[in-house]
Amino acid sequence: MKKDRIKFMLDIQKWKQMSMEDLANHIPVVIMATAMIAGVIAYIMYIVNGGYLAQIAAIKEYGFISTDTFTAGTTGLVFGGIAGNIILLLLIAELVVLSLNYCGICKGGKKTALIASGILILVQIAAAFVLLWIRIGRVTVEPNAVRALIFNFPEVIMYVKPVGITYTILTVGALIVFFGLLLAEAGSCGMVTFTAEAMIFAKVVVPIVVWILENILALGAAVIGCIFSLRAMGAL
């Protein structure tokens, strides 16, 4: 027990001494590991819930070549749900760590520009989430409040489109400045690239692999159907 306690304390000390660069290189690994675990769980759930049996039934009903035999299965679990939220939080943490690491490397105007663009991005993300929650009903807006706003500030309606265009320009500009500064600095360029690769793996590679595994019967049926169709055409 004493040895385990000492080892635990040493591990904590290592984490405390870990530099921002080390932390920035570890988070993408955690992102990829989270995506892999989510992909395995999603695939197991597909099998347990009778996904293959349903696909066989669909092939019997619609034939070998039909889009109805294919399914999205449980690939959505990799994009959303708990796994998606964890990956999003890890990405935000990675961006914060990258920013802190960059601020430690660069000073002056570059540091100020990165902080300003980062704050602007966070504000815009928060605004986008609020609008999304209002749209899906998670946040409710009283109709009387909307009518009062239109009555007291009728010019707001006239400026909805310009505000949307301005928001888009600010968002794109802030993203270009933020990632442009990080990529321009040799000390952070590699970490940004690694983070991008981790996100591509988590949000593209893993879902595609899960989708292929879950639709392996439909893909096989489509190949067989194409072979039969080519043979029939050749016989004609």
Side-chain angles (χ1 to χ4, degrees):
M1 291 293 293
K2 187 176 181 181
K3 290 182 179 180
D4 292 338
R5 193 178 301 123
I6 294 173
K7 184 177 182 300
F8 179 72
M9 294 301 294
L10 289 174
D11 290 338
I12 293 177
Q13 194 65 26
K14 287 180 181 179
W15 275 99
K16 288 181 178 179
Q17 294 175 353
M18 185 178 293
S19 66
M20 286 296 169
E21 183 177 354
D22 293 332
L23 190 58
N25 287 323
H26 279 75
I27 293 177
V29 176
V30 179
I31 290 175
M32 290 188 285
T34 302
M36 289 180 65
I37 294 171
V40 171
I41 294 174
Y43 184 53
I44 292 174
M45 288 181 63
Y46 179 78
I47 296 173
V48 171
N49 293 329
Y52 284 129
L53 295 176
Q55 199 165 74
I56 291 171
I59 293 171
K60 290 180 179 178
E61 182 178 355
Y62 299 108
F64 287 104
I65 304 177
S66 174
T67 55
D68 294 319
T69 60
F70 290 88
T71 177
T74 55
T75 53
L77 294 176
V78 183
F79 289 104
I82 297 176
N85 292 333
I86 292 174
I87 291 174
L88 177 61
L89 290 174
L90 287 170
L91 177 61
I92 294 173
E94 174 72 355
L95 294 178
V96 172
V97 171
L98 287 173
S99 301
L100 293 174
N101 181 69
Y102 182 88
C103 291
I105 298 173
C106 297
K107 306 294 181 183
K110 290 183 178 180
K111 181 178 177 180
T112 303
L114 185 80
I115 294 174
S117 61
I119 293 173
L120 185 57
I121 290 171
L122 290 176
V123 171
Q124 290 163 337
I125 290 174
F129 268 108
V130 171
L131 292 175
L132 176 63
W133 288 339
I134 292 174
R135 186 170 182 178
I136 64 178
R138 190 170 177 179
V139 175
T140 57
V141 179
E142 290 294 331
N144 292 333
V146 177
R147 283 195 290 268
L149 177 65
I150 296 174
F151 179 78
N152 294 315
F153 303 97
E155 66 275 8
V156 171
I157 301 176
M158 299 174 59
Y159 294 107
V160 169
K161 188 174 181 180
V163 168
I165 295 173
T166 304
Y167 174 85
T168 303
I169 294 173
L170 288 175
T171 302
V172 174
L175 289 171
I176 291 174
V177 171
F178 185 82
F179 288 103
L181 288 171
L182 291 176
L183 290 171
E185 183 62 39
S188 59
C189 181
M191 290 180 283
V192 174
T193 303
F194 188 29
T195 304
E197 291 173 350
M199 290 303 298
I200 292 172
F201 178 83
K203 294 300 183 180
V204 178
V205 176
V206 172
I208 288 176
V209 171
V210 173
W211 184 88
I212 290 174
L213 290 173
E214 293 181 351
N215 287 277
I216 193 70
L217 295 180
L219 291 168
V223 172
I224 294 172
C226 289
I227 292 173
F228 285 158
S229 297
L230 291 173
R231 286 184 176 178
M233 292 174 61
L236 292 176

